[in-house]
């Protein structure tokens, strides 16, 4: 990190602009920490630096928490995308928040096109499924737990049967 800090220092000495950076340090007691530094320069009448001032904040715990969250999200995403169960997560307006590969493949096999985040879920369904699916979604939003079997016509004309489970989960 010394090269990065030296580059920041040379840059603010040249352009006199406010600066900020993150870097790793080792304390006198041998502890490794991550800090955030931000500062400004003070110039005299001849545009020469008189002094620099700023703040340094220990962000080690935040960085560790971010790394743990990233690892957790990566693990969850791996499980989410490597199961033989289709998942489509919707918001309260029935827009797609997320979906796994299996769900997207099912929609493509049924010639319904690819799923897309932000897309209104009911628009992704076959015409004969839209009304009943919208009604089921309304029930789920009102707290009902719904499961049922339904069939879909695949691109090749064959019929696939699926067991569907729908429930409401409030995300925090």
């Amino acid at each position: 990190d010394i090269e990065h800090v030296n580059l920041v220092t040379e840059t603010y000495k040249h352009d006199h602009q406010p600066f900020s950076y993150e870097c790793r340090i080792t304390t006198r007691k041998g502890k490794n920490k991550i800090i955030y530094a931000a500062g400004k320069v003070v110039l005299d009448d001849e545009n020469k630096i008189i002094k620099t001032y700023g703040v340094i904040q220990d962000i080690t715990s935040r960085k560790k928490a971010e790394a743990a969250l990233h690892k957790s999200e990566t693990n969850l995403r791996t499980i989410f995308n490597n199961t033989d169960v289709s998942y489509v997560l919707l918001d309260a307006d029935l827009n797609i928040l997320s979906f796994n590969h299996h769900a997207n493949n099912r929609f493509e096999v049924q010639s319904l096109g690819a799923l897309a985040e932000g897309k209104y879920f009911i628009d992704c369904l076959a015409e004969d499924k839209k009304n009943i699916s919208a009604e089921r979604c309304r029930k789920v939003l009102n707290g009902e737990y719904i499961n049922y079997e339904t069939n879909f016509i695949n691109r090749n004309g064959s019929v696939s049967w699926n067991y569907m489970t729908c429930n409401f989960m409030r995300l925090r």
Side-chain angles (χ1 to χ4, degrees):
D1 292 349
I2 290 173
E3 288 179 19
H4 176 66
V5 172
N6 286 338
L7 178 63
V8 170
T9 302
E10 289 304 315
T11 301
Y12 79 71
K13 282 182 179 179
H14 175 72
D15 67 12
H16 304 154
Q17 295 298 308
F19 59 90
S20 65
Y21 60 89
E22 294 177 4
C23 71
R24 297 168 294 172
I25 63 167
T26 302
T27 67
R28 287 185 186 162
K29 293 183 179 180
K31 287 192 150 202
N32 293 319
K33 296 191 176 247
I34 303 170
I35 63 162
Y36 170 78
K40 293 182 177 184
V41 297
V42 177
L43 304 173
D44 65 13
D45 293 338
E46 297 174 6
N47 258 1
K48 292 188 179 175
I49 297 175
I50 299 172
K51 64 181 175 179
T52 60
Y53 67 95
V55 296
I56 296 175
Q57 181 180 11
D58 181 353
I59 59 171
T60 307
S61 60
R62 186 188 90 209
K63 287 297 200 177
K64 285 180 180 178
E66 287 173 357
L69 178 61
H70 177 71
K71 181 179 179 182
S72 176
E73 287 175 344
T74 300
N75 290 341
L76 184 58
R77 180 67 54 191
T78 299
I79 293 166
F80 188 63
N81 281 323
N82 289 296
T83 181
D84 60 352
V85 176
S86 297
Y87 287 99
V88 180
L89 305 176
L90 309 176
D91 65 16
D93 296 322
L94 306 183
N95 296 312
I96 298 172
L97 292 174
S98 185
F99 54 90
N100 67 355
H101 296 306
H102 196 270
N104 197 49
N105 291 342
R106 293 299 309 146
F107 272 76
E108 288 178 345
V109 164
Q110 295 160 17
S111 296
L112 299 172
L115 297 174
E117 290 180 6
K119 190 172 183 179
Y120 182 59
F121 179 68
I122 303 302
D123 287 345
C124 298
L125 302 173
E127 285 301 320
D128 64 330
K129 304 286 185 194
K130 288 183 179 186
N131 289 335
I132 188 69
S133 295
E135 179 59 30
R136 286 177 176 142
C137 287
R138 279 191 285 282
K139 287 180 179 181
V140 169
L141 288 172
N142 286 324
E144 286 188 46
Y145 178 85
I146 297 176
N147 53 42
Y148 60 95
E149 288 184 0
T150 188
N151 65 344
F152 294 96
I153 309 290
N154 295 319
R155 185 180 315 141
N156 64 8
S158 66
V159 176
S160 291
W161 282 91
N162 294 281
Y163 181 77
M164 310 293 282
T165 300
C166 307
N167 62 343
F168 178 77
M169 296 171 51
R170 186 169 306 281
L171 299 177
R172 297 176 190 191

